[in-house]
Each structure stands twice: as C-alpha cells, then as structure tokens.
Amino acid sequence: MNNNTANFPLLCIADPQHALAASLAERNLKHFQLALNLGADPNRRDSSSSNHSVFEHACQSAGCSSFIVECLKHHADVQQPNADGRYPIHHAAASLDVENIRALLDHSESSLDVQYQQRTALHLLFESINDGNWRAVFDCVQLLIDRGANVNVPNEDNRSALGVFVRDSRRKVGTELWREEVVRYCLKAGWVDVDSFRRGELRKQIGECFPGVSIPVYVMEANLNALLAAVKSRNEGKFDLVLAQYRDKVDEVTRRGDFGVLLEETVLTGRVSFVEKVLSEDFVFEGDSGVTRLLETCCNRGFPDLLKFLLSKCGGKEDQVRQINASPLLSQTIKEMNIQKDNRKCPFFKCFNILLEDGRVEIDKVDEKGFSALHYAVKYKVDAAVELLLQCSAYIGTLNMFKELPICEMNPDALEGYLDSCITTNEKRPGDDDYEISIDFSCLVPPTYKKNFSEKKQPPPIDEMLPIVYMSNSNDLKHLLKHPVISSYVLIKWLRLSIYFYVNLLVCTVFFASFTGYVVGCYGQDNVTRWLKETLRFISLLGATYMLLRELGQMILHSKTYFRSLENWMELTLIALSYTVLLKEFQSETRQIISAIVILLSAVEFTLLVGTLPVLSISTHMVMLKTVSKNFLKSLVLYSIILISFAFCFYTLFNVNNANGIQMALLKTAVMLTGEFEAANIKFQNNGLSYIIFLLFLFFVAIVIFNLMNGLAVSDTAAIKAEAELIGLSQKVDVISKYENAIKAKSTGVFTTLIFSIFRSNFLHLFPEYLPCYQVIVKPNQSNAIYIPKPLKPSETESVIDVETQSHIELMAPGSRGQEQFKLTIGCCILPSFSRMDGKIMKYAKEIIHTKSRKGATPAGMVPLEQRMVQLERRLDLILQKLNIASAS
C-alpha cells in the first residue's frame, strides 16, 4: 500500500484518468484532488460495460459526497444523462445517501424532476424503500421535497411517487408502522394530488391503508402534470377543465415549453378529440415542430383518424413537406400489417391508404438500410400493399444496401398485371384514325425526378436502365422484356442512342475495312500503287485515332473498372499494334507476325461490334457463338485430363528415337479429337498394348466426348433459337446500359470537361425533360407514330428541336387532356422507320387491351362475381343464425 501511495504522483502524471478512478475506488480524497488538478475529466466515460463516468460512480456510491463536490468544482455535468437515460440525480438516489443528494442539489436544483424511464428520483426512492433502509430513504425523500421536488409527476402507469409507495404498502402496513409516518409527512410537506391520477385511486388507497391519516382537500392545480394525468387516465372532461384553467393562468413562454410534451402524450391516446383541444383551429405545423415523431406514432400504433388529422395540420411548404418525409412512414405501416387480417378492418392498412392519398408523402422514401415501402411490401408478402404502391407509381428500381431491387422477390404475375394496367386507350374505336394507345412509364421514374422528393443532398448518378437490366438477367422476369411497357421503353431509349451507335459502327467498319486492306494488300509490299497505299493508311490512322480517343474517354470516366474488362485490354492492344503497323514497316518475319495478330484482333473486335447490333438474327447468332464457345471450353477443361493422358500414352508408345516432341503429341491428339486419325501411319506393330490404348481413345474421346460436346452445342443452339426475341431485346438492353453507364459518372479534369461538352451526361435520360408526363402515345392507325405528351405552356413555339439527340419533334394541336402532343421523328434520313413504334409491340399491346376489356365486361343480366360472393355470405349468415336458434330451442 505504501508503494502504491508513493508511486501515485507518477501514475497521475502518466495517466491522470486512470489515477482518478483508482483514487475513488480507494476513497483517497487527496489523490482524487491531485488527479483532477492534473487534467483528469470527471465526465469521461470508461470503456467497461457500465459506460459510466467517474462522476456517476461517485454519485451512486454511498459516502462519496466529498468526491462529488470535487467533481462539481471541476465542471462535472449534472444535466448529462448516461447511455441508458439515467441522470446523476438518479445515481445519487440509488446510493440512498442523503449527503450525495445534498451535494448535487447544493450545486444545482434544476435536475430535481428529470425523468429516467418516466420516473423521477422520488419514484426510484419509493420503489426501493423497505423495512431495512426506510430511514435512509426517508431522509433522502425529505431532502428532495424540502428542495422543491414535485411529488405529482406521474410515471408510465400514471402514478405519482406517493401513489407508488401507497400501492406497495397495502400488504405491509400492518407490520411496517413507519409507512404511516412517511405518508403523513408527504401529505403535510407539500401539495399532493390524490384525485387526478387513475380516477382518484390514491385517495381510496390511503383511506384503506391508513384510516387514521386525514387527507386535506386540495384545489386541483392547473399545470402540465395535471394535464398529463388527465390524458393518461383518458378523462376527457377533466382534461377540458384543467386545460381551460391552464390557458388562463400559465404564461405564453411556459405553454410553448410544455406544448411538445403535452402533444406527444395526447397523440399516444389515439384520440383525435384530445389532440384537437391542444391545437387551435388555425394551427399549422412548422418545419421544426416535431411533427415527424407524431406521424411515426400514428403509423406504428395504427391511429388512422389521428394520422389524417395531423396531416391536415401540415402545410405544403418545402420545409413542412420535408418534415413529413423525414421518416419512411409507408414502410413503418407495412411492417406493422398482419396479412391474416381483413384489410378493411386493419388500422395499419387504413393508415397506409391515408398516406398514399396524401400527395406530399414520398412513396419511394427509403430507411437507413435503403429499403423502400415496396421492398417491405414484397418482403412481408403484403400483396394488397404491393398492388397499391405500383398503382401509385412506386419506383421498381430502388437499390437497397444489399444490392436488391423490389422486383427481386416480387411475384412476376403481380408485376405483369400492373404493367398491363399501364396500357390504356382514349376510348375511341380501334378502327378510328384518332385511336390512341397510351403507355405509362411511371414505375420506371427514379424518385429524384418526382415532385415530392425531399432529400437535400445531391443524389448519385441516375441509372434509368437498372430495373430493365435486372429483368434481362432474371430467369423469372426475363419474359417481361416483351411486355409493351418495357419493350417500348427500351425502344425509345434506343431511338435516342441509335444515331450515335450507328455512327460509331460506321466509323469502326471503315477503319476495319481500310486497315485490313492495308495490312493484307499493302503492308510491306512494293508492287502496290502509292496513292492507294497512302489512302488506306491515312483512313486507318484516322480510325485508329478515333478508337484511341474513344478508349481514353472511357478510361477517364471509369478509371476504376476500365482495366477489369478483357475486351478493353483487347482494344488497347489492337490500337497499339495498329499504330505500330501504320507508322513503321518491319522486316519480313516480324511483319508477318504483327500482321497476323492485328488481322485476328481486328476481326474479333469487328465481330463483337457487329454482334451488338440489336437486330434479331445477328444478336441471336452472336449469343449462340458466345454460349456454345463458353460451354465448350468449360467441358474441355474437365475432359482435358483424359486428352492429356492419352497424349502422354501415345508419346510413350509411338515415339521412336525421339522423332516427335511432346508438343507434337498434344497437337496430334487434339486433331484426333475431331475425327482425323491417320490410322494408316500409326505403327501398332511396335507394341501390342497400342491396339487397346487406341481403341479406348476411339471410344471415350472420338465417340463419347466428341458427340457429347456436339450434343451440348446443339441443345444450346436450340434453346437460344426458342428465345430469339428475348435475346434480341436483351442485347438491346445491354447496349443501351453500356452506353448509359459509360457517361454516367462524372469526374474532374480537362478531358472530362471536353467530353461532356460534346455529350451531356444525361443525354440518354428520358426523365424528366424528354418525357415530362412519363408516358408516350402511339397511334396504331397512323403507321404507329409515336407522340410525346407535354403539359400546356403558352410560351411554347410551334416547333421544338431536341439539341441533345438532334431529334425533331412536330407539334400537334392541343388534345382534350390539357396536353400538347409532339410527334417523334429521328433526324436521320436513312432510318425513317425509327420514328414509329415496332409493330410487334403494338400487336401485343392490342391483345392486352382486348383481354382487359373482355374481363371487365359483364354480360347483360349477369351479376358480377364479387357481388355474388357478398350475397352468398349474407345468405350463409342467415342460415347459421336460424340453425343456432333452432338448436337453442
């Protein structure tokens, strides 16, 4: 101990915080003061599970009043709660040491009535009192009441501190006589409300437990506690009386301070009448009035009427709308729904409908995990909520923290049914010239473009193709690519991209043709006309420069992911070798090697480029080539074990005097796999085992493996041909997504600025400028012409040109829908068909409209199915009632 005492100053210098805790544990006040003087912080919390500060440890330890005083001298915070919500006054009450409490109150009495789990220090003391500690607890109670502690603060059970004590005294009053002394003191020392809580329960219990104690008659005090007591007891008449007196006696500043607490408590009742009385008729929640918590309470507890009332008290200003959308209210209501209950009776479903009907509520609001309301509706299998959210244009492409979209687990039939509802007509007859089919893309509109989007921070770059790409890669949803809503959306995207895609294709085609002609017919040859050679070389240099600039642009925009692509490495190699060939002529052998490589690379690159054409036959054959090649190589990896083994066997059996190397043996074995055996040249007579080895090779390799791989190729080809239309759409989706992603992410720099001065980063986006109404109108009887509706604006001219895509839009006469329709035509004379909707899409759309009209029509004299079911239910109820009456009699 002496060594510790002698070394303590060194400990204080090295680690004053540790020394402070050690001196408190040893109850050494001098060392405690020394540690504080050397910079130890009494408010600093330790890293143990308790997470308490030294000041809080002192407060909850009996006999530490001197240490508390020292902590207060060094700025200990009496108003700072712990992680569990306890204040220092609560720790001091737990110590049952009146001197600890006195030390705190001598410093500040403002913490007298702070609450921990809706309990004051008086509540905690009365909860802990018993026959062994009552004197110490009573001393603490006396001190708190003498210093002005409010004995009428209710806890979560709407009981005051004295009410808690009397409740616990009902079975012990006969054996613990000191309890009557405590009750007498409390009733005498201060005003105790025995009538407001739990319908006067306290007055009755005091009369039963302590019949000799006289209870003074008190006039009800009009303060916040009396109001809270009336609210918790659901006594509306008493609440009206206290509220009237409260407004007359309490000043404006106090009322404003009590407003939030009172409003939250009245909302917890779920009664609109209580909240109406707190709020005046002309009251409107401001942006910082805490309305978010109130709306959350209504959604979590299922108070539809109150939710509707509170929303009516919210204005439409930007800050007010932001407060409404500060929390994902729709998601909260969905998580509380019970799919086993009837939606018509479920209060949470009613809250859900109220939120959807309010135009200020952001339907795509996400929580901290990135989940939207549609995510939760799909996750919890609330089909009715999924249907309503889709009808209200919830975005199907929201990506959560797990990289999942709402459609990942969505029922494909439900999604297809919604997409069918997005196709409507103008109620004209299908044969009329002005017959129109409207295709709505609202479910594909990202939340950023919607009017009630409330996020202040800059959203990430928008990927409008994200849900379409997921559908393309999903086996369950891939068939929806053929749906008119999805296929027309992809087509319009393609129309905006097509001119750039075909320009790129044309330039690359000219480059590959001229470069191949130069390498094959001119490179390293002197018998070629000079002007032809230089012409091809110049055109090839221009093409190579174009490809270099294109790859540099992609490299700058996607520096992190560019070099992960094998195709990009191949393109860089081709560009480098192209410049090498075009700028220098090598010797004969080197020239031949380089020429062969560049011809092969250019052929592969040109094949891949042509394969991206969204033409059905081309894209299908390209997918066949890739799929069969991939599966063939996968199979060959496994079967190569057998092939290499046979190659080693043949090398060992037939290699006489090392005439052939192992490389030649492997090459000949690979050739024999295709059926080219050259059996006449094999010297079987050298070894009898060679017959058996060759027959085994013939059976396992030439017959089994070769035919098995052919069978795989045939089955893959047949499967791809069966899905030719889907494959063509998938290829188109991949091309659009590739180009859109190439310009999505901006970065700083001179080259980037130059790129985006030529191609705007959002030139492929359809929303909100290009399709402001989120739909297109197609006229089937006018060559499937596409029209884009836009809101009426008097200032608009008769002709508008989209500068980004050079697409010309012809103005039509304003329609009856309060919109103007602009006819879409692509500014390219060689592609006139690209100004019209695809015939297959329109045929599918007409089939959907016809099917819907057939389902919706009810034959004359036929009662609808739903109405018949209701009638049957009523008749069954009547039958059951009659049976019950008959059995009772």
Side-chain angles (χ1 to χ4, degrees):
M1 187 70 180
N2 293 333
N3 291 336
N4 292 338
T5 303
N7 295 330
F8 194 85
L10 296 177
L11 177 62
C12 286
I13 296 173
D15 190 355
Q17 196 68 35
H18 179 68
L20 185 70
S23 60
L24 176 63
E26 296 175 359
R27 298 298 190 270
N28 192 320
L29 184 60
K30 291 183 178 180
H31 289 170
F32 192 81
Q33 293 170 334
L34 178 60
L36 287 172
N37 292 331
L38 289 176
D41 184 6
N43 296 311
R44 182 178 174 182
R45 305 192 184 280
D46 56 29
S47 57
S48 65
S49 58
S50 64
N51 197 27
H52 289 166
S53 65
V54 173
F55 176 52
E56 290 168 339
H57 280 297
C59 289
Q60 64 188 6
S61 302
C64 290
S65 58
S66 300
F67 294 89
I68 295 173
V69 172
E70 292 300 325
C71 290
L72 292 170
K73 289 180 180 178
H74 287 80
H75 310 293
D77 192 353
V78 296
Q79 302 294 337
Q80 180 64 35
N82 200 350
D84 58 2
R86 292 178 185 262
Y87 287 82
I89 189 67
H90 300 135
H91 292 292
S95 73
L96 305 183
D97 188 339
V98 67
E99 295 303 324
N100 283 6
I101 297 176
R102 192 187 309 277
L104 283 176
L105 297 181
D106 286 344
H107 177 77
S108 173
E109 294 184 352
S110 60
S111 61
L112 266 173
D113 296 322
V114 292
Q115 297 185 37
Y116 159 65
Q117 295 182 351
Q118 297 190 23
R119 296 176 294 172
T120 64
L122 279 174
H123 282 99
L124 298 178
L125 287 169
F126 277 127
E127 288 174 1
S128 62
I129 195 169
N130 55 50
D131 195 44
N133 64 12
W134 78 270
R135 175 51 63 185
V137 174
F138 189 34
D139 290 341
C140 295
V141 169
Q142 287 178 309
L143 177 62
L144 287 172
I145 292 178
D146 291 343
R147 293 296 182 94
N150 191 342
V151 296
N152 295 316
V153 177
N155 64 2
E156 59 183 359
D157 294 329
N158 200 24
R159 285 189 172 94
S160 64
L162 185 59
V164 172
F165 176 76
V166 174
R167 179 200 60 184
D168 297 339
S169 301
R170 298 177 67 182
R171 297 180 180 179
K172 303 175 182 178
V173 67
T175 58
E176 299 177 353
L177 301 178
W178 51 268
R179 289 183 177 273
E180 184 173 329
E181 181 183 350
V182 175
V183 173
R184 287 182 183 276
Y185 173 80
C186 292
L187 292 173
K188 183 179 179 181
W191 181 83
V192 180
D193 188 353
V194 295
D195 300 313
S196 298
F197 305 105
R198 303 177 68 88
R199 299 181 180 180
E201 177 187 84
L202 182 55
R203 179 180 290 275
K204 295 177 183 178
Q205 290 181 349
I206 293 175
E208 293 173 358
C209 298
F210 309 101
V213 176
S214 61
I215 306 173
V217 178
Y218 297 105
V219 178
M220 183 176 57
E221 187 175 355
N223 57 18
L224 178 62
N225 292 324
L227 286 170
L228 295 177
V231 172
K232 290 181 178 180
S233 62
R234 305 298 193 270
N235 192 331
E236 194 166 345
K238 185 175 182 180
F239 179 77
D240 294 341
L241 180 61
V242 178
L243 184 61
Q245 296 178 6
Y246 173 79
R247 285 175 173 167
D248 291 338
K249 296 179 180 180
V250 178
D251 59 272
E252 179 74 21
V253 176
T254 306
R255 289 205 306 269
R256 193 179 300 115
D258 296 343
F259 175 81
V261 178
L262 181 60
L263 187 57
E264 285 191 23
E265 197 64 41
T266 54
V267 168
L268 287 173
T269 66
R271 297 184 182 179
V272 179
S273 56
F274 275 105
V275 182
E276 282 181 335
K277 290 166 183 175
V278 175
L279 304 178
S280 58
E281 291 184 2
D282 58 347
F283 177 85
V284 177
F285 283 104
E286 299 297 333
D288 56 350
S289 56
V291 68
T292 304
R293 293 194 306 275
L294 305 179
L295 296 176
E296 286 178 349
T297 301
C298 294
C299 294
N300 293 331
R301 294 177 177 249
F303 299 151
D305 296 334
L306 188 53
L307 175 64
K308 189 173 183 179
F309 174 75
L310 291 176
L311 287 173
S312 69
K313 292 293 183 180
C314 299
K317 296 181 181 178
E318 183 179 352
D319 58 340
Q320 295 166 336
V321 174
R322 190 178 297 116
Q323 282 294 309
I324 294 175
N325 293 315
S327 179
L329 302 177
L330 285 167
S331 298
Q332 292 174 13
T333 57
I334 291 174
K335 288 189 285 186
E336 299 293 337
M337 289 180 187
N338 187 348
I339 59 175
Q340 304 299 330
K341 291 185 177 181
D342 187 356
N343 291 333
R344 294 171 294 180
K345 299 178 180 179
C346 177
F348 298 103
F349 198 81
K350 293 178 181 178
C351 292
F352 181 76
N353 279 317
I354 291 171
L355 292 172
L356 287 180
E357 291 170 1
D358 194 307
R360 296 166 297 178
V361 177
E362 186 180 347
I363 194 172
D364 300 307
K365 179 71 178 180
V366 297
D367 59 11
E368 65 278 1
K369 296 179 182 178
F371 280 76
S372 65
L374 191 56
H375 274 108
Y376 284 113
V378 174
K379 180 180 180 181
Y380 289 103
K381 306 300 180 184
V382 188
D383 296 335
V386 172
E387 183 178 350
L388 286 174
L389 286 168
L390 289 174
Q391 289 176 0
C392 293
S393 306
Y395 182 48
I396 63 174
T398 303
L399 200 65
N400 62 19
M401 64 181 297
F402 303 109
K403 306 300 181 184
E404 297 173 342
L405 302 180
I407 57 177
C408 290
E409 300 180 13
M410 187 180 294
N411 186 349
D413 294 335
L415 182 57
E416 185 174 6
Y418 164 71
L419 293 176
D420 289 347
S421 68
C422 294
I423 303 175
T424 57
T425 67
N426 61 348
E427 299 182 356
K428 299 287 185 179
R429 293 181 301 176
D432 294 343
D433 290 339
D434 55 351
Y435 177 68
E436 298 177 356
I437 294 180
S438 299
I439 304 177
D440 191 0
F441 304 126
S442 297
C443 66
L444 300 172
V445 180
T448 309
Y449 301 140
K450 297 182 179 179
K451 294 180 180 179
N452 56 1
F453 183 70
S454 59
E455 290 291 336
K456 279 186 175 181
K457 60 183 181 181
Q458 183 69 21
I462 303 300
D463 187 357
E464 293 183 350
M465 290 295 295
L466 183 62
I468 312 297
V469 172
Y470 179 83
M471 289 182 189
S472 177
N473 297 327
S474 171
N475 292 329
D476 295 333
L477 299 175
K478 194 171 186 177
H479 67 281
L480 293 179
L481 289 179
K482 296 192 293 185
H483 196 280
V485 174
I486 305 301
S487 56
S488 61
Y489 180 84
V490 174
L491 177 63
I492 294 174
K493 280 271 190 181
W494 173 251
L495 295 183
R496 291 175 64 81
L497 172 67
S498 57
I499 187 169
Y500 302 101
F501 176 82
Y502 284 111
V503 166
N504 176 63
L505 178 63
L506 178 62
V507 173
C508 291
T509 302
V510 172
F511 164 69
F512 291 134
S514 61
F515 184 70
T516 303
Y518 175 78
V519 172
V520 174
C522 303
Y523 187 56
Q525 300 183 23
D526 299 328
N527 57 348
V528 180
T529 307
R530 182 173 180 80
W531 71 267
L532 178 60
K533 182 177 181 179
E534 293 300 325
T535 301
L536 292 177
R537 182 184 179 189
F538 178 74
I539 296 174
S540 301
L541 277 173
L542 290 179
T545 304
Y546 164 77
M547 291 186 63
L548 177 62
L549 293 176
R550 187 189 67 184
E551 295 304 311
L552 284 176
Q554 294 182 19
M555 196 183 303
I556 294 170
L557 295 175
H558 296 279
S559 56
K560 294 181 180 180
T561 59
Y562 178 82
F563 293 102
R564 299 176 187 173
S565 172
L566 181 63
E567 185 176 344
N568 290 336
W569 280 105
M570 184 181 67
E571 290 171 345
L572 291 175
T573 304
L574 175 61
I575 293 171
L577 291 177
S578 299
Y579 274 110
T580 303
V581 169
L582 294 172
L583 298 178
K584 185 177 180 180
E585 292 191 4
F586 294 91
Q587 297 298 324
S588 177
E589 183 178 356
T590 305
R591 183 175 69 248
Q592 292 173 352
I593 295 174
I594 295 178
S595 300
I597 293 174
V598 295
I599 290 173
L600 181 62
L601 285 178
S602 60
V604 172
E605 175 66 18
F606 185 64
T607 303
L608 292 175
L609 182 61
V610 173
T612 59
L613 278 170
V615 179
L616 190 60
S617 57
I618 296 178
S619 59
T620 303
H621 284 289
M622 194 64 197
V623 171
M624 286 182 187
L625 177 61
K626 291 181 178 179
T627 304
V628 172
S629 300
K630 187 185 298 183
N631 292 338
F632 184 87
L633 290 175
K634 285 181 181 179
S635 303
L636 194 61
V637 169
L638 177 62
Y639 302 145
S640 61
I641 301 173
I642 300 175
L643 294 175
I644 293 174
S645 299
F646 275 112
F648 288 157
C649 290
F650 292 148
Y651 173 75
T652 305
L653 292 172
F654 302 117
N655 186 29
V656 181
N657 298 324
N658 293 325
N660 297 313
I662 188 66
Q663 298 90 344
M664 185 59 67
L666 290 170
L667 182 60
K668 285 187 176 181
T669 304
V671 172
M672 290 167 67
L673 171 65
T674 64
E676 185 65 34
F677 299 113
E678 297 183 5
N681 297 327
I682 301 176
K683 300 178 181 180
F684 293 106
Q685 63 273 15
N686 293 341
N687 195 319
L689 183 63
S690 59
Y691 290 99
I692 299 175
I693 297 295
F694 184 77
L695 288 175
L696 288 174
F697 176 83
L698 187 66
F699 176 74
F700 282 107
V701 177
I703 298 177
V704 177
I705 294 180
F706 183 68
N707 285 287
L708 176 62
M709 297 177 72
N710 285 336
L712 289 175
V714 171
S715 62
D716 290 337
T717 304
I720 293 170
K721 283 185 176 180
E723 298 183 352
E725 186 177 356
L726 281 177
I727 290 172
L729 286 168
S730 297
Q731 287 293 102
K732 189 178 290 185
V733 168
D734 290 340
V735 171
I736 297 172
S737 179
K738 177 182 177 181
Y739 277 82
E740 195 169 82
N741 289 329
I743 59 173
K744 184 174 65 175
K746 285 190 177 183
S747 56
T748 58
V750 178
F751 292 102
T752 307
T753 305
L754 178 63
I755 291 172
F756 285 114
S757 64
I758 302 173
F759 304 103
R760 291 182 58 185
S761 60
N762 61 345
F763 84 95
L764 283 179
H765 287 181
L766 299 183
F767 312 111
E769 291 86 1
Y770 195 73
L771 297 179
C773 296
Y774 311 145
Q775 64 176 342
V776 295
I777 296 174
V778 184
K779 301 206 171 185
N781 300 324
Q782 297 181 18
S783 301
N784 292 332
I786 303 174
Y787 294 89
I788 300 175
K790 294 190 177 182
L792 282 174
K793 289 184 180 179
S795 60
E796 287 186 352
T797 60
E798 294 184 355
S799 180
V800 179
I801 297 179
D802 190 340
V803 180
E804 298 180 16
T805 61
Q806 300 298 320
S807 300
H808 300 276
I809 302 173
E810 299 173 6
L811 181 61
M812 289 185 62
S816 59
R817 303 181 185 181
Q819 298 171 340
E820 289 177 325
Q821 297 178 357
F822 296 83
K823 183 178 180 181
L824 171 66
T825 56
I826 300 299
C828 182
C829 59
I830 63 173
L831 300 171
S833 62
F834 274 24
S835 62
R836 295 189 290 270
M837 186 64 72
D838 187 90
K840 290 183 179 179
I841 297 176
M842 296 314 300
K843 181 180 179 181
Y844 194 176
K846 290 177 182 178
E847 291 177 358
I848 292 174
I849 293 172
H850 180 62
T851 303
K852 288 196 301 181
S853 63
R854 243 185 345 182
K855 288 181 179 180
T858 303
M862 179 81 64
V863 181
L865 180 60
E866 294 182 0
Q867 187 176 347
R868 294 173 64 193
M869 292 297 294
V870 173
Q871 292 174 356
L872 286 174
E873 288 180 0
R874 292 176 180 174
R875 292 175 182 175
L876 286 173
D877 291 337
L878 290 174
I879 294 172
L880 289 174
Q881 290 176 7
K882 291 180 180 180
L883 289 174
N884 292 332
I885 293 172
S887 61
S889 60

